């Protein structure tokens, strides 16, 4: 079951928590969670920063083949980005860093998104995030939204 992201604010601290699972046909689907926490802008542990100021940036990216593709060709400093595979996609997409492969290789395989699924990626720039399709169909793509600095 899909659970929408809901920011929670309390006493100067902010916590963003979201669980994303398109409901999928796999009854044993792993719930995907993305947690980001700060106290007055200070990073807690190895978590990314949830911005206390800034603005939003958003966009989309269409599949152009099976080669890796940057989420954005433009540098957009951020505190993290949420990437969602289009529900109408005919194929899965992998999300990760440069050197991404569209397979299950542990060190380069990235995060596999089925159509309609989402993942939060802690990063300092939207263009640090890469996409890759093993096979693609015209119209496959993703939408994204980021907390821009």
């Amino acid at each position: 079951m899909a659970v929408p992201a809901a920011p929670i604010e309390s006493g100067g601290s902010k916590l963003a928590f979201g669980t994303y699972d398109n409901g999928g046909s796999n009854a044993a689907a792993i719930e995907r969670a993305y947690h980001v926490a700060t106290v007055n802008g200070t990073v807690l542990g190895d978590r990314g920063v949830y911005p206390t100021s800034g603005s939003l940036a958003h966009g989309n990216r269409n599949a152009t083949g099976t080669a890796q593709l940057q989420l954005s060709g433009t540098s957009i400093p951020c505190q993290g980005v949420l990437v969602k595979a289009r529900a109408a996609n005919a194929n899965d997409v992998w999300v990760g860093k440069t050197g991404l492969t569209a397979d299950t290789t542990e060190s380069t395989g990235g995060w596999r998104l089925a159509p309609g699924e989402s993942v939060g990626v802690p990063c300092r720039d939207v263009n640090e995030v890469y996409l890759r399709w093993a096979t693609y169909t015209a119209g496959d793509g993703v939408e994204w939204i980021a907390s821009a600095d």
Side-chain angles (χ1 to χ4, degrees):
M1 158 183 6
V3 178
I8 301 168
E9 298 186 38
S10 173
S13 300
K14 293 188 178 185
L15 170 67
F17 175 87
T19 301
Y20 304 94
D21 180 345
N22 195 36
S25 58
N26 183 353
I30 297 171
E31 286 190 11
R32 298 175 181 204
Y34 174 55
H35 309 270
V36 179
T38 66
V39 176
N40 295 328
T42 303
V43 178
L44 300 178
D46 61 351
R47 309 260 184 198
V49 176
Y50 183 81
T52 56
S53 63
S55 60
L56 293 176
H58 59 88
N60 61 68
R61 193 70 158 166
N62 293 322
T64 58
T66 58
Q68 74 174 5
L69 178 67
Q70 276 183 303
L71 183 60
S72 173
T74 303
S75 175
I76 303 171
C78 67
Q79 300 295 327
V81 62
L82 177 66
V83 180
K84 181 177 182 184
R86 291 184 183 138
N89 282 355
N91 303 286
D92 294 348
V93 59
W94 278 257
V95 178
K97 63 182 183 173
T98 187
L100 179 67
T101 58
D103 60 34
T104 57
T105 305
E106 184 176 332
S107 62
T108 60
W111 190 275
R112 185 177 188 168
L113 294 178
E117 289 184 327
S118 301
V119 65
V121 182
C123 60
R124 296 288 180 207
D125 199 303
V126 173
N127 69 8
E128 293 175 0
V129 180
Y130 285 79
L131 309 169
R132 191 162 201 161
W133 281 262
T135 58
Y136 78 101
T137 302
D140 280 357
V142 300
E143 281 87 31
W144 59 268
I145 190 165
S147 54
D149 286 344

